[in-house]
Amino acid sequence: MSGPAAPPSVAPVPAVPTNALVEYLLRLGDDRLVLGHRVSEWCGHGPILEEDIALSNVSLDLLGQATMLLRLAGDAEGRGRNEDALAYFREVVEFRNCQLVELPKGDFAFTIARQFLFDVYAVVMLDALTGSIHGELAAIAAKSLKEAKYHVRHSGEWMLRLGDGTDESHRRVQKAIDDLWRFTGELFAPDDVDRAMQAAGIGPDLAALRPTWESLVRDVVSRATLTIPNDLPRVASTRGGRTGSHTEYLGHMLAEMQIIARSHPGATW
Amino acid sequence: MTQTRTVPADDPTKSAAFEARIAAGESIEPKDWMPEKYRRQLVRMMSQHAHSEIVGMLPEANWITRAPSLRRKISLIAKVQDEAGHGLYIYCGTETLGVDRSELIQQLLDGTAKYSSIFNYPTLSWADMGVIGWFVDGAAIVNQTVLAKASYGPYARAMIRVCKEENFHKRQGYEIVATLANGTPAQRAMVQDAVNRWWWPSLMMFGPSDTDSPNTAELIRWKVKRKTNDELRQRFVNLTVPQATAVNLTLPDPDMTYNAESENWEFGAIDWEEFHQVIRGNGPCNRERLDARRLAHDEGAWVRAAAAAYAARQRTASEAA
């Protein structure tokens, strides 16, 4: 039922179905693992050297967060799986990240627009999670929030530069927003897991976060002289990535990510 | 390369004063007078160094997406990021000599500038990430520890900072190697294979033999270089042989013998034909490396143009306000 006995100074992990807590932590961890991986694909190939460095930083932060969250998920699960077992030995349908983060990195405009949409989501979500009664999760959220605030400054500034830069950059970043918008619905569509976490005081009311997210996003998008497309954010009938229903892209990403670890099961690296 | 052009004659009085400063072990700073040839040699060396950092990101970045654990993935990204930082830092150092970074990058993309020959070899297994850290960063440290005492202040200071990070990379690489060497039979085979492939190219990193190094004498006199290529190569070999023994790996040199009198590990003949072929552009990955840099540069052109246009617009707006 609950996780391992907490030290006295930390609020006890509330009694919620273990599965729901594990699912919830996997969602948070997988978002960051998959996006961190995608961003790392830029390393050595950025448009300017300064961006190689900046995007590497973002990737490092996300992978660091993923490590902590997946470790916590493994502990909560209690089946002896650590962060690497979860990252390297799960199948596509077992991943719980949103679809937004698994899309190929695309051009720099696509990478920045996706990063911006995610970064604002991360700031809103992590800010709420700092109030979680789950002490370890709240601590991870507090540390991650500082990083996410830096990330959103980076991606937000690039949204302005690209949106209000040249005709070509405007066209590219507008296309990216148009292509990405439909993947944002999934971010704020609560299901039983989210409701269980909210009821237990572990997670926020997901749907209630959307207006804050959207107003922050719209502010930057309009200052960047860009527009939000009219089509409604898609909420997949199957719930999307949060329940393991992914795009075809994730399998290819995982095939590459997991190849060495899976070729040598039981090996230490 | 710049050094093939004719160099204007320097004022003899100033030259004499400069040589005296060098002889006295003084540090030369950007605003100080310096012979044109000294400046050009430094631009050549520093820009080659910066290019090597940038091109050197590619063989390691090749394994970021396949790193076998989260900890290794994070360390590898951080290492490649450090290399970008070193490149940036050394390009800035080169700019103190009156050349623009964009000019230097253009020379790299045109194929007229050189970079370390080692990065024209392919990374074929995860073990390469360990062996590169151990050998390539190890060799770089041997070179750069000496360059940290170079007479040109900005270069020497850059080397002090770079060396600290390279030391960390080397330890990280050797730790990967040791883990694999103590791992499964497949991991052991993987790391021995990587050692076999990287050993000789790593020895070539120190450049041509002293008998075939046109720039060395002058660079030593000006205290830009403090040791010859062969001296540094020998130091690297002496450091590395016991490290290989410690993890039960064999260096692929049947002629390697210890000379108790000189206290040197004497190594077999280097294939200089291979070295010159790689320098001339005929190594296994020369084309791929330059193509990757050109692709990133070309695909980034619209991004750089957007940033410049936005910055110009912001300036106009703030002037109007």
Side-chain angles (χ1 to χ4, degrees):
Chain A
M1 290 295 288
S2 62
S9 59
V10 177
V13 174
V16 292
T18 302
N19 280 350
L21 179 59
V22 174
E23 285 284 314
Y24 197 67
L25 294 170
L26 287 177
R27 291 174 183 187
L28 291 165
D30 286 346
D31 275 356
R32 286 153 181 82
L33 170 62
V34 172
L35 186 57
H37 181 101
R38 284 301 190 201
V39 176
S40 81
E41 293 172 351
W42 279 99
C43 195
H45 307 280
I48 46 170
L49 205 41
E50 284 83 347
E51 274 313 295
D52 274 287
I53 295 171
L55 289 174
S56 297
N57 259 336
V58 172
S59 171
L60 286 169
D61 287 343
L62 291 170
L63 292 171
Q65 296 169 14
T67 302
M68 293 186 287
L69 289 160
L70 292 181
R71 189 179 298 150
L72 200 55
D75 291 347
E77 185 188 50
R79 284 170 48 199
R81 293 202 287 183
N82 66 8
E83 62 273 20
D84 284 329
L86 289 169
Y88 289 93
F89 291 90
R90 277 182 300 153
E91 301 297 324
V92 171
V93 295
E94 297 172 278
F95 271 75
R96 293 293 178 259
N97 57 281
C98 60
Q99 293 181 351
L100 177 73
V101 296
E102 72 200 31
L103 304 171
K105 75 185 203 302
D107 66 4
F108 188 72
F110 190 90
T111 281
I112 288 297
R114 181 245 301 274
Q115 193 66 40
F116 173 69
L117 295 171
F118 181 84
D119 289 341
V120 179
Y121 164 67
V123 166
V124 171
M125 185 73 182
L126 293 169
D127 187 48
L129 285 172
T130 57
S132 173
I133 65 159
H134 191 301
E136 286 165 292
L137 178 57
I140 294 171
K143 180 180 186 297
S144 307
L145 179 60
K146 287 182 197 153
E147 296 168 345
K149 283 180 176 170
Y150 162 77
H151 300 169
V152 79
R153 204 171 71 198
H154 172 257
S155 59
E157 282 171 2
W158 270 110
M159 287 294 289
L160 298 179
R161 285 188 203 110
L162 297 183
D164 199 15
T166 63
D167 289 346
E168 180 177 9
S169 68
H170 181 91
R171 179 178 58 73
R172 284 177 183 258
V173 73
Q174 181 63 60
K175 181 174 186 325
I177 290 281
D178 292 348
D179 290 343
L180 285 162
W181 191 251
R182 64 204 174 102
F183 291 98
T184 62
E186 190 183 0
L187 303 178
F188 299 101
D191 68 358
D192 288 346
V193 170
D194 298 301
R195 282 186 283 270
M197 290 301 109
Q198 189 193 343
I202 293 175
D205 176 356
L206 203 50
L209 296 180
R210 181 162 182 118
T212 313
W213 174 82
E214 194 162 331
S215 85
L216 290 168
V217 167
R218 282 187 184 276
D219 171 56
V220 171
V221 164
S222 80
R223 282 196 287 134
T225 72
L226 298 163
T227 53
I228 300 281
N230 288 325
D231 49 333
L232 286 174
R234 181 175 74 173
V235 180
S237 55
T238 53
R239 263 287 295 161
R242 298 296 186 216
T243 50
S245 178
H246 292 281
T247 65
E248 290 177 345
Y249 300 114
L250 184 61
H252 293 277
M253 195 201 101
L254 294 182
E256 186 175 343
M257 188 180 96
Q258 297 176 334
I259 178 71
I260 305 301
R262 288 202 181 202
S263 300
H264 303 267
T268 305
W269 300 98
Chain B
M1 296 300 303
T2 47
Q3 77 270 23
T4 57
R5 288 184 221 137
T6 44
V7 180
D10 291 310
D11 179 329
T13 320
K14 286 181 177 169
S15 285
F18 176 84
E19 297 286 348
R21 288 188 64 194
I22 293 282
E26 285 182 39
S27 175
I28 306 300
E29 294 300 324
K31 286 179 179 165
D32 297 347
W33 185 90
M34 63 187 79
E36 180 59 17
K37 190 120 187 263
Y38 177 87
R39 192 187 74 82
R40 289 189 187 188
Q41 285 283 19
L42 274 162
V43 169
R44 181 185 67 87
M45 280 181 69
M46 291 173 74
S47 60
Q48 281 183 15
H49 191 162
H51 298 329
S52 300
E53 298 282 357
I54 302 310
V55 177
M57 293 168 73
L58 297 170
E60 291 178 282
N62 182 39
W63 281 88
I64 286 174
T65 54
R66 289 174 290 173
S69 75
L70 292 175
R71 183 170 78 95
R72 293 298 186 200
K73 193 185 195 74
I74 287 170
S75 307
L76 185 58
I77 295 169
K79 178 172 194 266
V80 180
Q81 185 192 38
D82 281 347
E83 285 155 11
H86 297 168
L88 195 55
Y89 197 54
I90 302 167
Y91 279 130
C92 290
T94 317
E95 286 185 329
T96 64
L97 292 159
V99 277
D100 196 59
R101 172 172 142 200
S102 60
E103 192 185 328
L104 298 173
I105 288 175
Q106 199 53 53
Q107 290 170 2
L108 172 67
L109 300 177
D110 291 346
T112 55
K114 287 180 188 160
Y115 55 87
S116 181
S117 58
I118 194 79
F119 302 119
N120 291 313
Y121 289 84
T123 50
L124 301 181
S125 79
W126 169 252
D128 291 27
M129 297 305 100
V131 173
I132 286 179
W134 178 25
F135 286 173
V136 177
D137 289 270
I141 291 164
V142 167
N143 257 326
Q144 290 162 11
T145 306
V146 183
L147 287 171
K149 299 179 194 112
S151 57
Y152 188 57
Y155 196 26
R157 288 190 289 274
M159 287 307 98
I160 290 168
R161 176 170 145 178
V162 167
C163 265
K164 282 183 190 158
E165 293 183 351
E166 304 282 29
N167 268 305
F168 182 73
H169 297 162
K170 190 202 160 182
R171 276 204 303 276
Q172 192 173 289
Y174 190 65
E175 196 227 320
I176 292 175
V177 166
T179 305
L180 297 175
N182 291 311
T184 65
Q187 286 177 306
R188 241 197 101 62
M190 187 194 289
V191 71
Q192 181 63 58
D193 170 68
V195 165
N196 296 348
R197 284 183 288 109
W198 289 96
W199 174 249
W200 290 106
S202 299
L203 293 191
M204 295 176 197
M205 278 180 73
F206 295 91
S209 166
D210 296 349
T211 54
D212 186 30
S213 180
N215 298 311
T216 294
E218 191 173 54
L219 291 172
I220 295 252
R221 180 166 59 86
W222 277 335
K223 296 183 182 172
V224 174
K225 282 173 92 163
R226 312 293 298 241
K227 299 272 180 193
T228 69
N229 295 350
D230 286 336
E231 286 171 331
L232 294 170
R233 189 166 13 243
Q234 186 63 59
R235 180 183 292 185
F236 170 74
V237 172
N238 290 349
L239 286 169
T240 309
V241 170
Q243 291 164 355
T245 310
V247 287
N248 286 317
L249 290 168
T250 312
L251 298 174
D253 181 355
D255 295 331
M256 184 80 79
T257 43
Y258 187 68
N259 181 330
E261 200 174 320
S262 66
E263 300 185 333
N264 282 329
W265 282 94
E266 291 175 351
F267 48 94
I270 291 174
D271 181 355
W272 290 114
E273 176 53 23
E274 176 178 325
F275 173 74
H276 289 296
Q277 284 294 341
V278 176
I279 292 287
R280 278 198 289 271
N282 301 322
C285 296
N286 295 58
R287 257 170 217 240
E288 287 77 2
R289 299 298 184 234
L290 275 190
D291 283 349
R293 288 313 315 156
R294 287 180 190 132
L295 186 67
H297 189 78
D298 293 348
E299 289 189 342
W302 69 267
V303 178
R304 296 188 298 274
Y310 180 77
R313 197 163 299 146
Q314 293 299 106
R315 268 196 305 276
T316 314
S318 70
E319 279 162 16

